[in-house]
């Protein structure tokens, strides 16, 4: 009998080889390909980010993010209705306040912009899951994600503010909160604050492995939140590190996270995969502003086919292990998937 050699469990010579084996047999038609496809996107995978601003009838396009707008509450409601009609189950809200100050007071004001948007969206589309980003950078005059003392973002005093913000979002009707500031202990502090205020049923989606990424550039235009001095490397993760991501995720789970997020997505597929394999929780990945901007810019130049690259990136993010994808393509992708 002929000797079989195997590499990683697969035969490399002998009967299980070409010409007996022909991989192209299952690629011959679209329906054969559909039968053996391992990863399928659905609109239920998507979370649609919305930027909410004061005013009425405002739809201000973000220059570096074509198709993404700063929206007044009435317009955000329209977007939320459209997203839900496309079978997208959730939106995540970012607020652009009227005034910025050192601690970002509008962030936890009962009539703050995000609180108004939550109420209006929940009134119009009650079933839609409304998630809120819990951070300070859009609200603070220095643009950092926490309280600043002598040029340093101080961790523990910031946690108290995050707790107040999360509770005020829950009071306004938010279904889930998503802390993104990368302070140590933020998930535990928010869990405790929510529980103490009677919101034990509100889940936390933790931005657990959030990197100090240049891919957030366009978001900072959209949310008007660039740091006025320094950068975020004193709290967000070093893109060079992977093992550290597993520690971050493990800590967030220990503190009570219900969903853990990796951010950005496409350049961090190895991290998504590692988190997926190490932990049983739902994993979310954020296809961030810069990822969107790159594809949009190339598509506008006619250098890439927008629909195909967008669906390809979303598919591979899911293939890597993400259960949920925060993406500015959510509405378009849902339309494309439905064949429209
Ligand atoms: C707030 C926050 C940011 C993003 C999500 N939440 C900006 C940042 O950390 O600088 C980025 C999202 C994107 O780029 O699309 N901290």
């Amino acid at each position: 009998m002929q000797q079989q050699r195997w590499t990683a469990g697969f035969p490399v010579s002998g009967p299980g080889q070409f010409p007996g084996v022909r991989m192209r047999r299952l690629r011959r038609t679209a329906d054969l390909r559909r039968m053996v496809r391992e990863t399928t996107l659905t609109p239920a995978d998507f979370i649609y980010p919305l930027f909410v601003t004061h005013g009425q009838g405002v739809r201000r396009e973000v220059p570096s993010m074509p198709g993404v707008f700063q929206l007044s509450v009435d317009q955000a409601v329209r977007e939320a209705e459209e997203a839900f009609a496309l079978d997208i189950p959730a939106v995540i809200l970012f607020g652009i306040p009227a005034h910025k100050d050192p601690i970002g007071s509008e962030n936890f004001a009962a009539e703050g912009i995000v609180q108004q948007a939550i109420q209006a969206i929940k009134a119009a589309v009650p079933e839609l899951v409304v998630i809120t980003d819990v951070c300070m950078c859009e609200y603070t005059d220095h643009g950092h994600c926490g309280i600043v003392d002598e040029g340093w973002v101080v961790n523990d005093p910031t946690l108290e503010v995050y707790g107040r913000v999360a509770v005020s979002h829950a009071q306004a009707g938010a279904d889930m909160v998503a802390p993104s500031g990368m302070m140590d202990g933020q998930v535990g502090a928010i869990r405790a604050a929510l529980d103490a205020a009677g919101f034990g049923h509100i889940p936390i989606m933790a931005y657990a492995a959030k990197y100090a990424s240049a891919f957030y550039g366009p978001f900072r235009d959209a949310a008007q939140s660039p740091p006025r001095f320094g950068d975020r490397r004193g709290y967000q993760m070093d893109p060079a590190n992977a093992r550290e991501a597993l520690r971050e995720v493990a800590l967030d789970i220990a503190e009570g996270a219900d969903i853990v997020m990796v951010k950005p997505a496409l350049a961090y597929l190895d991290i998504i995969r590692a988190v997926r394999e190490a932990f049983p929780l739902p994993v979310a990945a954020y296809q961030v502003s810069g990822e969107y901007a790159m594809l949009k810019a190339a598509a506008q130049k006619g250098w890439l086919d927008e629909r195909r690259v967008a669906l390809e990136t979303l598919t591979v993010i899911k293939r890597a292990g993400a259960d949920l994808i925060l993406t500015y393509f959510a509405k378009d992708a849902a339309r494309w998937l439905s064949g429209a």
Side-chain angles (χ1 to χ4, degrees):
M1 213 176 83
Q2 197 185 340
Q3 186 70 30
Q4 280 255 32
R5 288 197 300 115
W6 298 81
T7 299
F10 297 102
V12 293
S13 69
Q17 254 290 39
F18 177 83
V21 173
R22 289 182 183 271
M23 297 304 288
R24 292 181 55 194
R25 284 181 197 130
L26 294 178
R27 298 179 194 147
R28 195 166 51 83
T29 70
D31 288 296
L32 283 166
R33 293 193 291 273
R34 193 156 65 92
M35 287 169 68
V36 298
R37 186 160 298 140
E38 298 176 28
T39 307
T40 309
L41 283 176
T42 83
D45 302 328
F46 304 143
I47 298 171
Y48 187 41
L50 296 175
F51 298 100
V52 195
T53 192
H54 288 273
Q56 181 71 30
V58 180
R59 284 182 79 80
R60 204 177 297 124
E61 192 165 32
V62 180
S64 51
M65 301 177 74
V68 174
F69 300 82
Q70 295 179 346
L71 304 159
S72 51
V73 169
D74 57 301
Q75 299 295 308
V77 167
R78 258 185 51 190
E79 288 285 328
E81 287 170 341
E82 279 180 32
F84 193 67
L86 289 162
D87 259 356
I88 295 164
V91 294
I92 182 164
L93 304 182
F94 298 92
I96 302 155
H99 301 288
K100 299 184 188 237
D101 63 41
I103 61 158
S105 311
E106 191 181 320
N107 210 353
F108 45 82
E111 283 303 300
I113 187 65
V114 162
Q115 289 79 358
Q116 290 181 37
I118 297 165
Q119 287 167 29
I121 292 171
K122 289 305 291 184
V125 214
E127 305 96 319
L128 183 71
V129 176
V130 174
I131 308 171
T132 57
D133 186 84
V134 175
C135 193
M136 286 169 63
C137 57
E138 298 109 87
Y139 295 85
T140 51
D141 50 12
H142 44 69
H144 277 287
C145 302
I147 294 175
V148 171
D149 187 19
E150 294 179 7
W152 177 248
V153 177
V154 287
N155 196 90
D156 299 10
T158 299
L159 300 180
E160 194 262 328
V161 179
Y162 286 177
R164 287 172 71 178
V165 174
V167 168
S168 96
H169 290 171
Q171 282 167 342
D175 297 298
M176 191 184 304
V177 295
S180 70
M182 289 300 279
M183 296 299 122
D184 289 322
Q186 65 182 11
V187 173
I190 288 171
R191 183 72 274 156
L194 287 173
D195 290 355
F199 295 108
H201 59 289
I202 297 294
I204 298 176
M205 176 169 71
Y207 286 70
K210 176 172 174 178
Y211 287 86
S213 173
F215 285 107
Y216 307 152
F219 175 94
R220 293 175 190 172
D221 289 345
Q224 293 164 355
S225 63
R228 293 276 176 274
F229 65 90
D231 54 41
R232 304 212 201 289
R233 284 182 282 194
Y235 38 104
Q236 298 179 349
M237 283 181 58
D238 184 338
N241 295 354
R243 297 188 303 266
E244 188 187 348
L246 298 180
R247 292 189 71 197
E248 282 282 5
V249 172
L251 285 165
D252 281 4
I253 294 171
E255 290 175 30
D258 299 283
I259 298 173
V260 289
M261 193 200 300
V262 175
K263 178 183 172 200
L266 196 57
Y268 295 80
L269 295 180
D270 58 328
I271 309 300
I272 296 171
R273 165 53 52 140
V275 170
R276 162 77 299 139
E277 286 179 354
F279 304 100
L281 277 74
V283 176
Y286 200 143
Q287 181 179 52
V288 300
S289 55
E291 301 179 59
Y292 176 84
M294 284 196 298
L295 301 185
K296 276 283 182 185
Q300 284 190 344
K301 282 192 172 281
W303 292 350
L304 288 174
D305 177 329
E306 179 180 354
R307 174 176 172 150
R308 290 191 57 201
V309 285
L311 289 176
E312 180 177 331
T313 55
L314 293 166
T315 302
V316 304
I317 291 164
K318 190 168 179 191
R319 186 202 65 211
D323 303 292
L324 298 165
I325 307 171
L326 294 87
T327 176
Y328 303 99
F329 284 115
K331 272 178 28 186
D332 285 336
R335 276 193 209 102
W336 294 329
L337 291 172
S338 74

